[in-house]
Amino acid sequence: MNLNLLDLLNQIKKFAIQETGNVFSLIAYFILALIVLSRYFGTSLSRNYPSYDIYVLLATFALCIIVWSMTRRIRKAPWKINIGIAQVNLLNTSMEKPLDWEQKLSISSEISNYIYNCLSHSKQELLMDQYLNFFRLPSRISVNYANCNETPDKLDIDMLIRWVCRYHDQKVYIDYKVSTRKRINSIFFDKLINDINAYPEIQFDFAGHSHLEFDKFIHMVSYLSIIYKSLELMNKSQYKEVEEIILHALNCLNKLYTDQSDQSVNAWDKDVVKVEILMYFILAKNYFNRAHSFIENFDYKNEANTKLDQCTSAIDTEMNLIKKYLEKKKYASIYEQVELENAYIYTLWQLWKTQNKKTIDKQMKNIDSILKDKYKFGLVKAFVETIFKDLDDAKRHYEEALSSNPNNTIALRGLWIMEHEAGNLDKSLEYLNKLDSISQFHIFQPHIFDLKLQKLLYQINIKKWNIPSALKHFSLFVKFNAQNKKILKKNYIL
């Protein structure tokens, strides 16, 4: 009798630990509750309170749902970047000494706890306790290791670390992947995530003193979470906090380069340089936005110029990093090369917005070694000439680029702006219509629609009394504005 009872208790324990919170487990909870009610209360309830039976059943079912839901509860923190660490069962590929389910669960949980503690320690070192929340997902929430990019969105969390463990010849190997709820519109972000997820499995030994690959992964996740929090704060115009976070993170990263006790991250590591580029990108944009906020609020202390100078310095550093990246000339495809060169041109465009001619001239000296394509070099010169009102040369360079490629969206956009500012509405409308027929997306942010394009088409057509065309572009402006808002829910804009 005692042995049977112990076996039953062990089976219940195994079920409670292993069940994954699906509908079957909810039914099992309900059936178990009914058995207990029937065994201990059924007869007395029916005899003394027959009208209450339905209420007891409903209350039991409600209690079961509450218990079942609690097994799936995740510890999200409001106003923080929430990063979940999935728990995955250990795969046993060693047939000489197979592991039972308790051993598998023990090893898997231990590694999950180790990852959690490492990330928490990194969070404290980076002074990000108030901004980041790392938590372990309950074992009831199953995660598809191979493909779960939609899981962060379903769980309403910012990032998910999923991994699989393999046990072979008394050794543990782990393979990890990262998925995010929102992407950052940068080729460097896409490459960073792809490189992290393509990393091969690594051997993991708790008794070992050095896990370089694993330590590097912890650093990458920590800095990625900082980038996400900075973007969120910048979108809320909390510029001072962003500046403090990014500068501290860059300072920690520079110390990490020279830390002899931690050799997992070194200067010019292909993954870390992408993190640096993203952080300098955010820092530059944050300085620029803050400068404009000072101007909008009547900058009597001339703080806007200070922030523009800091913006120039951040962009200058960012461009030097991108140049080193481009000089490596290790492209996965022609498409990747084009994307990287466009990112470089976009950074130049950012720099020109500061109108710091000295830094612009310095960056322009060696640009021909980076952009071999003649018409792209001409576009860059056209940008600079436009900023400093050398409009004749700018127009000539734009037109040369357009003659080489009639569908060059950068040249078309530059020309319609120049013609519009000069009051040549017919010529401006010609370029606008051409650009609209090629692409309705922004030339530097191709994942969102160019609202300025539709707005200008609407306004010029109104002035020319072309009402049907004006109404068409006004409706597109309204439609694209709504779609951009949806897109921005899944994207951080740099």
Side-chain angles (χ1 to χ4, degrees):
M1 179 69 179
N2 289 335
L3 289 175
N4 291 335
L5 180 60
L6 287 175
D7 287 341
L8 178 61
L9 289 174
N10 279 328
Q11 290 298 321
I12 292 173
K13 174 188 174 184
K14 183 176 179 179
F15 170 77
I17 293 175
Q18 288 188 312
E19 65 92 1
T20 58
N22 53 26
V23 177
F24 170 77
S25 63
L26 175 60
I27 296 171
Y29 281 133
F30 186 55
I31 292 173
L32 181 63
L34 286 179
I35 291 171
V36 172
L37 280 173
S38 177
R39 174 69 178 82
Y40 293 102
F41 303 107
T43 305
S44 60
L45 281 172
S46 298
R47 184 184 304 124
N48 300 322
Y49 306 100
S51 61
Y52 283 86
D53 284 359
I54 186 65
Y55 298 111
V56 171
L57 287 174
L58 289 174
T60 303
F61 188 60
L63 183 61
C64 288
I65 290 177
I66 292 171
V67 172
W68 179 76
S69 299
M70 290 297 290
T71 64
R72 297 173 59 84
R73 184 173 176 268
I74 60 178
R75 298 170 57 190
K76 290 188 292 186
W79 318 117
K80 291 186 178 184
I81 295 296
N82 290 285
I83 301 174
I85 303 166
Q87 299 189 26
V88 182
N89 291 331
L90 187 71
L91 303 176
N92 185 12
T93 58
S94 179
M95 302 310 294
E96 296 177 1
K97 189 179 180 181
L99 303 174
D100 59 32
W101 68 272
E102 286 182 306
Q103 290 172 315
K104 289 181 180 179
L105 184 64
S106 175
I107 295 173
S108 178
S109 298
E110 192 169 354
I111 295 178
S112 178
N113 290 336
Y114 186 82
I115 292 174
Y116 170 77
N117 290 328
C118 287
L119 287 170
S120 298
H121 177 69
S122 177
K123 177 178 69 171
Q124 292 171 357
E125 283 187 334
L126 292 166
L127 305 180
M128 292 295 290
D129 278 318
Q130 62 175 318
Y131 299 118
L132 305 182
N133 175 43
F134 295 108
F135 64 91
R136 288 156 289 192
L137 282 180
S139 58
R140 275 66 166 170
I141 298 179
S142 60
V143 173
N144 183 349
Y145 166 78
N147 183 18
C148 72
N149 291 327
E150 73 283 353
T151 304
D153 198 38
K154 289 181 179 178
L155 299 177
D156 193 28
I157 60 176
D158 298 283
M159 196 183 303
L160 174 67
I161 303 170
R162 63 194 196 273
W163 47 279
V164 64
C165 291
R166 185 170 65 89
Y167 178 80
H168 184 75
D169 290 340
Q170 299 183 355
K171 295 178 182 177
V172 176
Y173 301 86
I174 62 173
D175 189 1
Y176 46 73
K177 293 188 184 297
V178 173
S179 51
T180 59
R181 182 165 58 92
K182 296 177 75 170
R183 72 176 289 274
I184 300 172
N185 68 310
S186 167
I187 180 68
F188 299 104
F189 170 78
D190 293 336
K191 284 178 66 63
L192 178 62
I193 295 296
N194 290 338
D195 288 348
I196 290 175
N197 289 342
Y199 209 86
E201 68 176 7
I202 58 175
Q203 183 179 343
F204 190 84
D205 180 12
F206 286 105
H209 298 291
S210 178
H211 299 292
L212 295 181
E213 296 92 345
F214 179 81
D215 291 342
K216 178 183 173 182
F217 171 72
I218 295 296
H219 289 310
M220 291 298 96
V221 171
S222 299
Y223 283 104
L224 261 178
S225 59
I226 290 173
I227 288 170
Y228 271 107
K229 187 60 191 179
S230 301
L231 286 166
E232 184 182 277
L233 289 171
M234 186 166 62
N235 289 341
K236 295 177 180 176
S237 301
Q238 295 176 258
Y239 304 126
K240 187 177 180 180
E241 290 86 344
V242 175
E243 182 180 353
E244 291 173 353
I245 290 172
I246 294 292
L247 288 177
H248 179 71
L250 287 168
N251 183 51
C252 290
L253 190 57
N254 288 323
K255 285 183 179 178
L256 192 59
Y257 289 152
T258 57
D259 187 356
Q260 296 299 316
S261 63
D262 187 348
Q263 294 295 302
S264 61
V265 172
N266 298 301
W268 195 246
D269 181 286
K270 68 172 187 175
D271 293 328
V272 182
V273 74
K274 299 184 191 91
V275 170
E276 277 193 280
I277 289 171
L278 288 169
M279 286 199 291
Y280 276 111
F281 215 137
I282 293 167
L283 187 63
K285 186 170 183 178
N286 189 71
Y287 281 138
F288 189 79
N289 290 347
R290 196 171 183 195
H292 274 263
S293 72
F294 284 134
I295 293 170
E296 289 170 0
N297 292 292
F298 303 102
D299 181 23
Y300 298 113
K301 296 181 181 179
N302 206 27
E303 292 183 55
N305 286 334
T306 302
K307 293 304 169 188
L308 283 175
D309 288 340
Q310 290 174 316
C311 175
T312 302
S313 177
I315 296 174
D316 190 36
T317 306
E318 177 196 349
M319 289 188 69
N320 291 332
L321 289 170
I322 297 177
K323 272 201 286 190
K324 283 186 180 180
Y325 202 101
L326 287 168
E327 285 167 357
K328 296 288 182 180
K329 295 184 175 59
K330 294 181 179 178
Y331 309 119
S333 64
I334 294 295
Y335 171 77
E336 183 178 281
Q337 180 180 353
V338 172
E339 285 290 295
L340 289 168
E341 288 180 350
N342 286 343
Y344 183 69
I345 294 173
Y346 180 55
T347 312
L348 279 169
W349 181 61
Q350 269 196 317
L351 182 59
W352 300 326
K353 287 161 68 176
T354 68
Q355 299 194 18
N356 188 306
K357 196 171 189 309
K358 183 179 178 181
T359 307
I360 292 171
D361 290 340
K362 185 186 79 171
Q363 287 291 347
M364 288 292 291
K365 281 183 180 178
N366 300 317
I367 193 173
D368 54 338
S369 64
I370 304 298
L371 300 176
K372 300 288 188 182
D373 196 318
K374 183 180 178 181
Y375 90 85
K376 280 192 176 180
F377 183 57
L379 287 176
V380 169
K381 292 176 74 175
F383 273 141
V384 175
E385 289 156 353
T386 302
I387 288 294
F388 296 108
K389 305 301 180 184
D390 187 1
L391 301 182
D392 291 337
D393 284 337
K395 187 176 180 181
R396 177 171 56 83
H397 282 118
Y398 278 134
E399 288 174 344
E400 285 175 358
L402 205 59
S403 64
S404 300
N405 178 12
N407 293 330
N408 187 296
T409 55
I410 297 176
L412 287 168
R413 201 173 198 274
L415 284 168
W416 72 249
I417 290 174
M418 293 179 66
E419 296 292 356
H420 185 265
E421 288 181 352
N424 302 325
L425 295 187
D426 289 337
K427 199 64 178 174
S428 178
L429 186 59
E430 179 185 332
Y431 291 129
L432 282 163
N433 284 327
K434 176 72 173 177
L435 182 59
D436 185 58
S437 67
I438 296 170
S439 175
Q440 295 173 325
F441 291 92
H442 196 282
I443 57 171
F444 288 130
Q445 297 170 346
H447 58 287
I448 61 173
F449 291 98
D450 190 345
L451 297 181
K452 190 172 182 180
L453 171 65
Q454 300 303 327
K455 185 177 180 180
L456 261 293
L457 281 168
Y458 157 69
Q459 291 176 345
I460 292 176
N461 278 292
I462 280 287
K463 290 178 181 178
K464 297 179 73 66
W465 290 95
N466 190 347
I467 304 303
S469 185
L471 290 174
K472 170 193 168 185
H473 292 292
F474 179 76
S475 64
L476 285 174
F477 175 83
V478 174
K479 176 185 174 183
F480 291 161
N481 187 39
Q483 290 185 4
N484 277 357
K485 289 178 180 178
K486 290 181 181 179
I487 292 169
L488 293 178
K489 289 181 179 179
K490 292 184 178 273
N491 289 270
Y492 280 119
I493 303 300
L494 276 184

